[in-house]
Amino acid sequence: KKDNGDTYTWHYAMSKPHAGYLLMLGIGKYDIKKTKSGSGVPMNLYYYPEYADRAEPTYRYSERMVDFLEKETGMAYPWESYSQIMVQDFMYGAMENTTATIFGDFFNVDQRAYRDRNYVGVNCHELTHQWFGDCITARDGRDTWLQESYATYFPKMFTRKLLGEDEYDWQRRSEQNTALDAGKKDRNPIRYSQAGTARVYQKGSAVISMLSYVLGEEQWKRALNHYLVKHAYGNVETNDLQQAIQDRLGKDMSWFFDQWLYRGGEPEYTVAYSEVQKKGQAFTEISVQQTQQRNEVVGLFSMPMVFEVHYTDGTHDRVKKWIAEASERVQVPNRGHKTIAFVLFDPGSKIVKSTVFKKSYKELCRQALDAPEMLDRYDALLGLKSYPAEKKSGVLLQVFRNERFHQLKAEVVSQLADFSPATAELSTVFAAAAAPSAKLAAIKGSTVPGAAWKRVFIKALQDSSYEVVQASLEKLCKAYPEESDRFLQETKDVFGMGNSVNIKWHELATLYTADKKASQDRLVDYASAKWEFRTRTNAFSALKNLGYCDEQLIAHIFDALLSTNSRLVAPAAQLAEFLAQQTAYKQMLAAYYKSRNWEAWEKTQLKNSLTFL
């Protein structure tokens, strides 16, 4: 840094090769939290001086993440320092520039908002890129998964270390569902320039988990370290990873790469079982059929599958077999001629797949209560959704008492929230629930909250979660409009991130109180350029719900339509198109457009956004 008297000049130099697209400058008024990882990597965490209290919850665990990734990869952080900086109106979540991550300040959270949505996962994602993407960079677009899938995989692994196996498995299931949803639209491979976000990020991460599962975690880490060290500060393609496994472990994984990366689709299985007797010996015979449509892109899948037969005495038998054919049968010995409680196919859901496995009500109940792994208990709860509350409430309440994982509690609450015989117990436990997910499930699952839920929701107006406060306020005002003044009074000083709670407050005040004009004016103000884009989009949503429009709002809409931030442009366009369905508002919008002298680029952008111009 050179002092020129009235100006400064900065000079930057990289000591190692790096990709040119990973360069940025972040300039503004910031304070810097200077810290170090456990291994000594210097870290500079930039934050807005006026929000110093948000620095810790925003950057929480940053130092631990460096140490975690160094241990997981076996490779020291590959650069001299690491910095992070938040900015306004960032069009994406974040970007992994070499040694310096830039991210949207909507992740700049306070202690309260941390519970609803925080930066931890994205933080770890971008840090992972310093190894996968920055230190080694994909040769072309077909191999983007070598960057993004790993940057999705390691935050999931950090969650496992931080929060435990259930949270990790929940993220795995979310990735698998995302992959399967993408497969309903097309069956493109991961290693394809048009693979799409769901495959490059979530499915790729799920495939890495399966690769670790097939190889064994320690073997997988050995191969991964070899891949990183060999190609450091260079370009890579998928074959380099496959070859690294071959070189380090002596294993030919071409079958795995072919079916999961070079080909598309996911396996679909139909599973059933029967009890058989042969020469005095008892077996559980499980039939497995691969039913996915096969063509030149999608073939049969060959994967190691575990089969577990659980018995009513609490014991179980387990067999592992490769399933590779269109139709196969697997026999699990039942040496004690025991009574079957339930059967599991791929317990813990290690493989990305869709499965049809019909089970009786009794089997689902036993599985929901007794399956060792959380995902199997959750799948049983999903299987019970079709049964009436009168029949299943006893079992679900028992699950609710037994379970420690909040998402399973949330599923029970969602299924029983409107069943009055169960609400007394659920609402009592709800008040002490630590996780917002279970509370939100009750709030959203209760159609018309009765006395038990009403008491809980009123208490929830003071909850530490902004999302819970907002959902409770909306539910109470709609269910008990005659008491809305009371509910609004209790929450008038709660704003939330992106002013989400206060915006919902003014939307409800417009609907349920006499002083509509003040709230309408406040919402229009929130839609103006003085606010960051999350607040503006929240305001657009509220104004759309109300169907409200005035000349000032129209000016704010057109301002947003000309933004460089596509995540602001799209909600503004949706609001304008919605308002234009009313003739008077359409005329106001058109008149505003005609009254201004637009630049050529502005005309083009406006006409591309609005169909009625």
Side-chain angles (χ1 to χ4, degrees):
K1 179 181 176 181
K2 180 182 177 183
D3 187 346
N4 305 315
D6 57 346
T7 61
Y8 293 103
T9 303
W10 280 265
H11 295 268
Y12 299 88
M14 296 296 296
S15 61
K16 300 286 187 181
H18 85 113
Y21 79 93
L22 294 171
L23 183 150
M24 72 88 185
L25 293 175
I27 303 170
K29 295 180 180 179
Y30 294 89
D31 281 347
I32 307 171
K33 177 184 177 182
K34 291 184 177 294
T35 183
K36 287 185 177 182
S37 69
S39 61
V41 176
M43 301 175 70
N44 302 298
L45 309 177
Y46 287 66
Y47 62 90
Y48 299 144
E50 62 270 33
Y51 293 118
D53 62 309
R54 297 184 183 181
E56 190 283 323
T58 297
Y59 289 115
R60 191 170 293 171
Y61 306 123
S62 291
E63 297 89 346
R64 287 178 61 180
M65 290 174 192
V66 177
D67 300 324
F68 168 78
L69 285 164
E70 287 182 330
K71 184 177 180 181
E72 287 292 304
T73 62
M75 180 181 183
Y77 177 74
W79 314 99
E80 290 89 341
S81 65
Y82 183 56
S83 301
Q84 296 198 68
I85 187 168
M86 60 187 72
V87 299
Q88 290 186 350
D89 283 326
F90 196 59
M91 291 188 291
Y92 311 101
M95 180 62 199
E96 68 278 9
N97 310 287
T98 309
T99 77
T101 286
I102 186 171
F103 66 97
D105 62 6
F106 41 81
F107 283 122
N108 183 27
V109 297
D110 59 24
Q111 291 283 6
R112 227 172 142 178
Y114 179 89
R115 299 190 69 207
D116 297 326
R117 186 186 190 214
N118 57 60
Y119 181 53
V120 174
V122 176
N123 190 350
C124 192
H125 178 104
E126 304 307 331
L127 178 61
T128 301
H129 275 309
Q130 298 301 321
W131 285 262
F132 298 88
D134 296 12
C135 182
I136 56 172
T137 307
R139 193 173 300 280
D140 61 41
R142 293 170 298 175
D143 291 304
T144 302
W145 82 276
L146 290 172
Q147 301 177 178
E148 299 301 346
S149 297
Y150 281 93
T152 307
Y153 170 79
F154 279 109
K156 180 177 63 181
M157 299 298 288
F158 186 69
T159 295
R160 186 186 202 177
K161 183 176 181 63
L162 194 67
L163 300 175
E165 203 72 22
D166 286 348
E167 288 285 359
Y168 163 73
D169 284 341
W170 191 255
Q171 289 192 18
R172 280 198 309 108
R173 170 56 63 85
S174 176
E175 290 177 349
Q176 292 174 357
N177 288 342
T178 300
L180 294 171
D181 287 343
K184 295 173 184 175
K185 301 171 186 174
D186 61 65
R187 300 199 286 176
N188 290 332
I190 291 176
R191 192 183 183 274
Y192 175 54
S193 59
Q194 303 299 317
T197 300
R199 293 191 179 90
V200 170
Y201 287 74
Q202 288 88 355
K203 183 177 178 181
S205 173
V207 167
I208 294 170
S209 291
M210 288 192 293
L211 189 54
S212 175
Y213 172 65
V214 171
L215 291 173
E217 195 165 321
E218 291 307 312
Q219 293 283 81
W220 163 237
K221 285 182 180 179
R222 287 180 59 215
L224 189 62
N225 174 259
H226 179 67
Y227 164 72
L228 279 169
V229 172
K230 181 177 180 179
H231 299 287
Y233 310 106
N235 296 113
V236 288
E237 56 188 34
T238 300
N239 185 62
D240 293 318
L241 177 62
Q242 183 177 336
Q243 191 61 48
I245 298 172
Q246 176 100 26
D247 293 345
R248 177 58 68 183
L249 305 181
K251 293 187 176 182
D252 179 6
M253 298 298 291
S254 56
W255 62 271
F256 184 96
F257 279 71
D258 180 63
Q259 68 185 20
W260 288 112
L261 294 161
Y262 293 104
R263 289 175 171 266
E266 297 79 31
E268 299 172 10
Y269 298 103
T270 298
V271 182
Y273 77 90
S274 60
E275 298 178 77
V276 297
Q277 299 278 342
K278 289 183 179 180
K279 298 179 180 179
Q281 293 182 317
F283 298 88
T284 303
E285 187 171 85
I286 305 169
S287 65
V288 182
Q289 294 181 314
Q290 290 196 49
T291 57
Q292 69 271 12
Q293 184 180 1
R294 300 189 290 276
N295 54 28
E296 67 278 1
V297 176
V298 183
L300 289 170
F301 287 79
S302 175
M303 291 296 288
M305 290 292 187
V306 172
F307 300 81
E308 282 185 357
V309 180
H310 289 256
Y311 305 110
T312 54
D313 66 357
T315 63
H316 72 275
D317 287 315
R318 176 185 175 100
V319 167
K320 189 174 186 178
K321 183 180 178 182
W322 284 80
I323 299 298
E325 303 300 327
S327 180
E328 299 200 37
R329 291 184 180 274
V330 177
Q331 289 189 340
V332 181
N334 182 354
R335 295 177 180 84
H337 296 261
K338 299 176 181 179
T339 303
I340 295 174
F342 57 92
V343 175
L344 297 177
F345 170 65
D346 183 30
S349 193
K350 311 300 185 198
I351 310 302
V352 178
K353 64 189 182 305
S354 60
T355 306
V356 176
F357 189 175
K358 294 182 179 179
K359 298 182 180 181
S360 69
Y361 173 76
K362 188 176 180 180
E363 287 173 313
L364 291 171
C365 290
R366 287 301 299 264
Q367 183 174 322
L369 290 167
D370 298 334
E373 298 206 46
M374 179 273 296
L375 287 177
D376 299 316
R377 300 195 300 275
Y378 175 69
D379 285 339
L381 288 179
L382 294 183
L384 289 168
K385 285 183 79 168
S386 60
Y387 291 91
E390 293 83 357
K391 183 172 185 177
K392 65 187 177 185
S393 63
V395 171
L396 292 192
L397 286 172
Q398 191 175 344
V399 170
F400 191 84
R401 297 181 202 113
N402 294 349
E403 281 296 341
R404 300 176 63 88
F405 187 53
H406 61 97
Q407 295 290 0
L408 270 66
K409 285 182 175 291
E411 179 59 34
V412 171
V413 170
S414 70
Q415 292 191 34
L416 295 181
D418 267 346
F419 184 58
S420 55
T423 55
E425 178 171 346
L426 292 175
S427 61
T428 300
V429 180
F430 170 97
S437 60
K439 297 181 179 181
L440 289 170
I443 296 165
K444 295 174 181 178
S446 173
T447 306
V448 180
W453 282 129
K454 183 182 178 183
R455 287 192 298 271
V456 171
F457 295 168
I458 289 173
K459 185 175 180 179
L461 294 176
Q462 307 301 321
D463 198 80
S464 58
S465 162
Y466 287 129
E467 287 188 3
V468 170
V469 172
Q470 181 176 326
S472 299
L473 176 62
E474 185 171 15
K475 178 69 75 172
L476 287 167
C477 285
K478 289 182 177 179
Y480 304 97
E482 68 282 359
E483 297 182 62
S484 57
D485 282 340
R486 169 194 172 190
F487 307 138
L488 291 165
Q489 181 63 28
E490 287 192 38
T491 53
K492 63 184 177 61
D493 297 323
V494 184
F495 287 83
M497 302 309 296
N499 293 291
S500 57
V501 181
N502 194 242
I503 287 171
K504 179 58 68 174
W505 192 98
H506 284 290
E507 178 187 332
L508 295 168
T510 301
L511 292 171
Y512 299 113
T513 68
D515 190 13
K516 301 180 188 300
K517 186 66 168 62
S519 285
Q520 290 167 343
D521 289 346
R522 185 60 171 153
L523 290 173
V524 171
D525 179 74
Y526 273 139
S528 70
K530 73 171 71 169
W531 298 96
E532 36 70 44
F533 85 94
R534 290 279 180 169
T535 293
R536 299 182 74 182
T537 56
N538 288 336
F540 289 155
S541 177
L543 290 161
K544 182 180 176 184
N545 291 340
L546 294 171
Y548 178 79
C549 182
D550 62 21
E551 291 183 356
Q552 193 62 56
L553 175 60
I554 289 175
H556 298 333
I557 290 173
F558 274 88
D559 171 82
L561 288 169
L562 295 174
S563 171
T564 57
N565 186 346
S566 60
R567 292 201 284 183
L568 177 60
V569 173
Q574 290 168 8
L575 175 58
E577 293 285 354
F578 174 79
L579 294 172
Q581 294 176 31
Q582 296 188 43
T583 303
Y585 291 156
K586 183 177 181 179
Q587 290 173 348
M588 289 170 65
L589 288 159
Y592 184 90
Y593 175 75
K594 292 176 183 177
S595 69
R596 300 297 190 275
N597 293 320
W598 305 105
E599 299 285 342
W601 72 268
E602 292 176 324
K603 283 186 177 181
T604 300
Q605 184 155 325
L606 291 171
K607 289 189 175 182
N608 285 341
S609 299
L610 303 177
T611 61
F612 58 84
L613 291 182

